[in-house]
Amino acid sequence: MTRCRLCDANDHEALAEDMAREMWASLATNDPHAEWHPWDEAGHYWQRVMRQYAEAVIRTLRREQGVRFSEG
């Protein structure tokens, strides 16, 4: 049986960071002006925004799956 990282993750911050990084990377092909930068160069503002977005996605998906979520 395949384990679900979303359901089984004990380190919420690491999960949110990984999701934010991957979501940011997915935007690279959508930048019509070629102004996209890698995650490490994205700047604090965009990293914070993407982490907040990832945290919202995690909460939503866990709620839909009936997984209890506690903010640490």
Side-chain angles (χ1 to χ4, degrees):
M1 181 175 181
T2 304
R3 303 292 295 178
C4 171
R5 181 172 180 208
L6 179 65
C7 299
D8 293 340
N10 291 323
D11 187 347
H12 171 73
E13 289 182 21
L15 176 61
E17 177 74 19
D18 289 348
M19 286 183 65
R21 182 183 298 269
E22 290 300 318
M23 289 188 298
W24 180 258
S26 74
L27 298 174
T29 59
N30 296 330
D31 183 2
H33 304 293
E35 295 174 355
W36 181 88
H37 298 285
W39 179 252
D40 295 335
E41 299 172 19
H44 295 292
Y45 172 79
W46 285 112
Q47 290 178 356
R48 180 176 50 82
V49 167
M50 295 305 289
R51 280 188 205 100
Q52 290 171 338
Y53 183 50
E55 290 167 359
V57 169
I58 292 167
R59 279 193 303 275
T60 301
L61 293 173
R62 284 184 167 176
R63 185 173 40 246
E64 288 178 4
Q65 295 301 314
V67 177
R68 295 193 72 191
F69 177 76
S70 60
E71 299 207 28

